Every structure is written in structure tokens, then in C-alpha cells.
Amino acid sequence: MGDSNTSVAEPWEAATVTTKTQPKKKQKPKRQPRYHVMLWNDDDHTYEYVILMMHELFGHPVEKGFEIAKTVDADGRAICLTTTKEHAELKRDQIHAYGKDDLIARCRGSMSSTIEPEC
């Protein structure tokens, strides 16, 4: 009959199938949309008011506060901060709650602020 060292594989042992899988690409975490906190110009607030508010609410140094005050005066609006929507809403609300400018007698309240999506 044949060689005694030869063995016949049973049908369930006959073949081992291996499959190669493609390595999964690492997905980058989805970045939250960003929003600008916009400060709007009016004639009832001084540069000093804007500079102080930018420092107290945003932590901007005096120089950055002055640049924002100059921009809002010249262009009618200025970006104070670009951040997540929730943080932008908080900062907008803080501007609205900041209060009046004591250096201008006719001033009745805070400056206007809005948020806009970053393009």
C-alpha cells in the first residue's frame, strides 16, 4: 500500500484560509466649527473702555485691546476672539453684561456684540 509515514488530511483539516485586512486609517477627530466674537462700534464708548474690557474679559494685553478699539472705530466692527460656539456665546454675553462706560455721561449700557461662523 503506500508509505506508512504519509498521512491523509481529513476534509475539515485540509486547508487553512488566511485573509489580509487593510490596516484601518486613523480618523482625525472632527474639529468643532469656530466662531468669531464680533464687537460693534458706537459713539457711546471710549477707547479706554474697550481696552479695559478686552483685558478683563479676554485677557488681551493693552496693546491688543488698543488695536481692537482702533479697528472697531475705523471699520465699525472688530474680531475679539475666534473660538468654539459655546465659548463665543459666553464671551458675547459677557460683553453685553459688562456695563456702561463711566467716562461718557450719555452712555446707557454695554457695547453690542455678535458671533459669526468663521469662514
Side-chain angles (χ1 to χ4, degrees):
M1 286 253 308
D3 185 25
S4 63
N5 289 337
T6 316
S7 62
V8 177
E10 296 295 326
W12 56 86
E13 297 176 330
T16 304
V17 177
T18 58
T19 58
K20 281 190 174 181
T21 58
Q22 293 290 340
K24 290 185 178 180
K25 292 181 183 178
K26 288 188 178 181
Q27 292 182 348
K28 293 181 182 178
K30 198 168 190 178
R31 191 173 155 211
Q32 289 187 357
R34 297 175 57 80
Y35 288 78
H36 297 304
V37 179
M38 305 299 299
L39 183 65
W40 294 91
N41 190 34
D42 61 36
D43 292 331
D44 293 338
H45 296 88
T46 61
Y47 273 44
E48 290 81 2
Y49 175 92
V50 174
I51 293 167
L52 185 61
M53 180 174 60
M54 291 297 107
H55 179 70
E56 288 182 4
L57 298 183
F58 295 89
H60 292 324
V62 170
E63 298 80 14
K64 175 79 173 175
F66 178 75
E67 288 301 316
I68 291 171
K70 206 163 68 167
T71 301
V72 79
D73 187 35
D75 299 344
R77 68 183 195 156
I79 298 172
C80 303
L81 181 71
T82 303
T83 185
T84 62
K85 184 176 184 181
E86 292 77 16
H87 192 223
E89 290 171 336
L90 169 69
K91 292 301 179 182
R92 176 204 56 209
D93 294 347
Q94 287 177 337
I95 290 172
H96 291 165
Y98 193 71
K100 67 184 192 101
D101 186 342
D102 292 329
L103 297 176
I104 297 184
R106 71 177 178 270
C107 181
R108 297 287 178 235
S110 302
M111 292 184 78
S112 295
S113 176
T114 58
I115 64 170
E116 297 178 3
E118 180 182 48
C119 294

